[in-house]
Amino acid sequence: MESTPVPSVAYNPPVFENAPIRASRKKLWILIPLAILLVLSSSAVVAFHGYVAWMLARPSIAPLSSNPLLAAGLPYADVNFTSSDGGSTLDGWFIPAEGSDKVVVFSHGYGGNREELWVPFYSLAKELNKQHYNVLLFDYGYVQPDLSVTGGVRESLELQGAIDFVKRQGMKHTYVWGFSMGAGTALQTALHSKDIEAMILDSTFLLEPDTMFHNIKQQVDLPRYPSLALIRFFFPILNGTSMDQIPYQTVKETTYPIPIFFIHGMKDAKAPHDVAELIYENQSARKSSLWLLPEGRHELLYKANKKEYVKRTMAFLNQASAGKF
């Protein structure tokens, strides 16, 4: 008997997708967006701190609104001069006191200019003129749009340039009256200058890491790490000056050979009073003095007690100019 042939059937074994590969692909599609999000978030954080470093060196400064003649009835001359290294050109007002070779050079604070209306400079200049002091009011270079704040590195050379200028005008006795960062700049200048006979320092501000972060945190609640490190990293890249170039530690440790009158508010939220006290403690009590106002706030000390402020500052200057220290 013939057998019936059995048709052959091709056998195709089932294909199963490799489970580990499928899981890896799924995980990859989850990780890619997360990685992108992480990179974007990190970039945003870094960019934000770069922006903070940029803005710190470029404060918004109001334009001049008046002049000594209009504001205080004081005749004046428009003047310009260079920093001691010739690196920047500065503008100012020179208010003469006839027959006097004594001059007070005002050193304005961060975010201000030669007016500093909140102090106010015009009132102090008028009082000084009555006391037969010439007065120089000038703008630091960062008031110009193409220059940035350097925390006293360039500004100390600019203050020395102002001092050199008044010497060329025949001034034989120079006194510096500094406010906020302008006071910190005065201290930096006095580390090397032999031309300053005495200083009045109101609300002394030194740009050092702790004080800088103290002020930033009042505006934006940032963690100290990594914010401070990032801002310090970007500061020299964006502004051309490293905070390590600012001799804040040297200033705090120096005994100056000239009399200094420190004035500071106990409620100063921008420049902690303990920094001014620390610097004062390194000075000779016979030459220098410290006046702490319990309710005083940053650069508002004149307004807090005008009569006493004028009395004490003028007494200090008159004693210094009479050689009574």
Side-chain angles (χ1 to χ4, degrees):
M1 179 185 294
E2 295 183 1
S3 61
T4 304
V6 178
S8 63
V9 178
Y11 175 71
N12 296 314
V15 177
F16 297 101
E17 185 176 1
N18 191 303
I21 294 176
R22 184 174 56 187
S24 296
R25 288 176 179 171
K26 185 176 181 181
K27 187 182 294 185
L28 187 63
W29 285 110
I30 294 174
L31 289 177
I32 287 175
L34 288 177
I36 293 172
L37 181 61
L38 181 61
V39 169
L40 290 175
S41 299
S42 300
S43 299
V45 169
V46 170
F48 172 76
H49 287 88
Y51 173 76
V52 171
W54 172 272
M55 292 302 297
L56 280 173
R58 292 163 180 81
S60 176
I61 299 171
L64 297 173
S65 63
S66 188
N67 61 57
L69 184 60
L70 292 175
L74 297 169
Y76 72 98
D78 289 308
V79 298
N80 59 75
F81 49 89
T82 63
S83 55
S84 59
D85 67 343
S88 50
T89 300
L90 312 164
D91 298 316
W93 295 318
F94 184 76
I95 303 169
E98 189 175 351
S100 173
D101 60 4
K102 303 178 297 183
V103 62
V104 173
V105 178
F106 279 78
S107 177
H108 71 75
Y110 174 86
N113 55 28
R114 71 185 94 160
E115 284 187 311
E116 286 242 342
L117 298 175
W118 56 89
V119 170
F121 278 6
Y122 290 128
S123 297
L124 295 177
K126 188 170 186 177
E127 185 62 37
L128 286 166
N129 200 247
K130 283 168 54 180
Q131 301 278 342
H132 304 293
Y133 291 92
N134 298 275
V135 176
L136 176 65
L137 302 165
F138 77 99
D139 293 336
Y140 278 112
Y142 64 77
V143 171
Q144 304 167 27
D146 57 334
L147 293 177
S148 59
V149 175
T150 67
V153 176
R154 187 187 62 249
E155 290 83 0
S156 61
L157 300 174
E158 293 172 344
L159 179 55
Q160 183 61 53
I163 294 168
D164 294 340
F165 169 77
V166 295
K167 286 176 65 181
R168 293 194 296 271
Q169 310 311 304
M171 300 296 106
K172 296 180 180 178
H173 306 282
T174 302
Y175 312 97
V176 174
W177 199 331
F179 299 80
S180 188
M181 190 179 289
T185 296
L187 286 165
Q188 292 182 54
T189 305
L191 288 173
H192 309 290
S193 180
K194 305 299 183 183
D195 304 308
I196 304 171
E197 294 189 15
M199 298 192 296
I200 299 174
L201 304 180
D202 181 317
S203 306
T204 301
F205 179 97
L206 276 176
L207 185 59
E208 56 181 321
D210 287 342
T211 307
M212 181 183 72
F213 186 73
H214 170 80
N215 279 268
I216 292 172
K217 197 168 177 64
Q218 292 183 60
Q219 305 299 321
V220 186
D221 190 16
L222 296 174
R224 185 178 179 87
Y225 183 84
S227 291
L228 182 55
L230 284 171
I231 293 169
R232 291 190 67 178
F233 171 77
F234 279 115
F235 205 88
I237 295 173
L238 299 174
N239 306 317
T241 303
S242 168
M243 290 192 67
D244 293 332
Q245 294 175 257
I246 303 170
Y248 51 84
Q249 196 60 42
T250 302
V251 166
K252 291 193 290 186
E253 296 172 352
T254 296
T255 300
Y256 291 87
I258 58 174
I260 305 173
F261 181 22
F262 297 89
I263 310 172
H264 217 98
M266 299 285 284
K267 291 189 176 180
D268 192 325
K270 296 181 179 180
H273 61 85
D274 57 349
V275 175
E277 290 181 88
L278 176 64
I279 300 171
Y280 166 69
E281 288 171 1
N282 288 325
Q283 311 311 312
S284 166
R286 184 178 65 85
K287 291 184 176 182
S288 300
S289 59
L290 170 67
W291 179 27
L292 290 175
L293 284 73
E295 299 299 316
R297 301 181 187 277
H298 193 72
E299 282 197 284
L300 299 177
L301 306 180
Y302 170 84
K303 291 184 176 181
N305 194 336
K306 295 179 183 179
K307 186 175 180 180
E308 189 66 18
Y309 189 100
V310 169
K311 177 183 176 182
R312 291 189 184 222
T313 53
M314 294 305 135
F316 175 82
L317 282 174
N318 291 334
Q319 286 181 325
S321 62
K324 294 183 179 180
F325 287 108

